[in-house]
Amino acid sequence: IVSDGSALWASEPASGRLLKFNPATGETVETVDACTGASAMPSMLFDGAALWVACSDENSLARVVRDSSSVKEAYVVTRMAVDGKPGQLEMDGEWVWVALEDSARFQAVNGKLQQGPAVTVEGASAARLLRFDGTHLWGVIERGTEAVLLKF
């Protein structure tokens, strides 16, 4: 569940949709097709302008923004293929970062869906968790049977 400041959003992996809820009533007020079909959706975030969703079964990210040209409330979904299975998402104030689980790296993406810096750790078998503490990003990779904490 993530808040965009006025509504709550939840993922529905069985359909690949996002559900928008009125927080006062709990009523579903909108649905948006974020992924192209049923897909695990392990993480989503709001960056102040758009919702981001990891569509892990499709190896893609979805960026969802309100269509300001529409009279009726509508959303534009833009998808971006990534080089691996996206998991955890995090925002550092400039970039949206994604932990690419099976390629064992962390990739930055901007609001124009352009790739930015990446962090790869030699010998890592998976990239898992990702958090921003206000100064640094912290990620957890797996190396053999060990979980290793990284600061970058």
Side-chain angles (χ1 to χ4, degrees):
I1 296 176
V2 68
S3 172
D4 68 5
S6 62
L8 295 175
W9 294 81
S11 62
E12 185 178 65
S15 66
R17 294 186 306 179
L18 294 177
L19 307 175
K20 180 180 178 182
F21 294 94
N22 177 325
T25 65
E27 175 187 352
T28 302
V29 294
E30 186 80 38
T31 61
V32 176
D33 292 326
C35 302
T36 58
S39 181
M41 300 162 79
S43 184
M44 54 187 201
L45 67 81
F46 181 67
D47 69 3
L51 286 165
W52 292 79
V53 181
C55 301
S56 64
D57 294 341
E58 301 171 6
N59 288 359
S60 69
L61 299 177
R63 184 175 183 271
V64 180
V65 294
R66 187 169 187 286
D67 182 357
S68 59
S69 67
S70 177
V71 175
K72 182 182 177 218
E73 189 163 343
Y75 294 87
V76 175
V77 178
T78 309
R79 293 180 187 89
M80 174 187 182
V82 291
D83 298 326
K85 185 175 183 171
Q88 192 72 45
L89 298 173
E90 188 62 84
M91 177 75 184
D92 70 1
E94 180 179 358
W95 299 96
V96 172
W97 286 82
V98 57
L100 297 169
E101 294 178 350
D102 57 351
S103 62
R105 70 187 179 114
F106 301 97
Q107 177 68 57
V109 177
N110 67 17
K112 295 179 182 175
L113 297 175
Q114 299 166 326
Q115 289 188 0
V119 175
T120 304
V121 179
E122 192 171 322
S125 58
R128 296 287 179 214
L129 303 174
L130 191 56
R131 287 291 178 260
F132 181 64
D133 68 7
T135 305
H136 297 96
L137 279 159
W138 296 85
V140 174
I141 56 113
E142 291 177 10
R143 186 180 287 148
T145 58
E146 265 185 356
V148 179
L149 181 65
L150 305 172
K151 178 174 87 171
F152 51 99

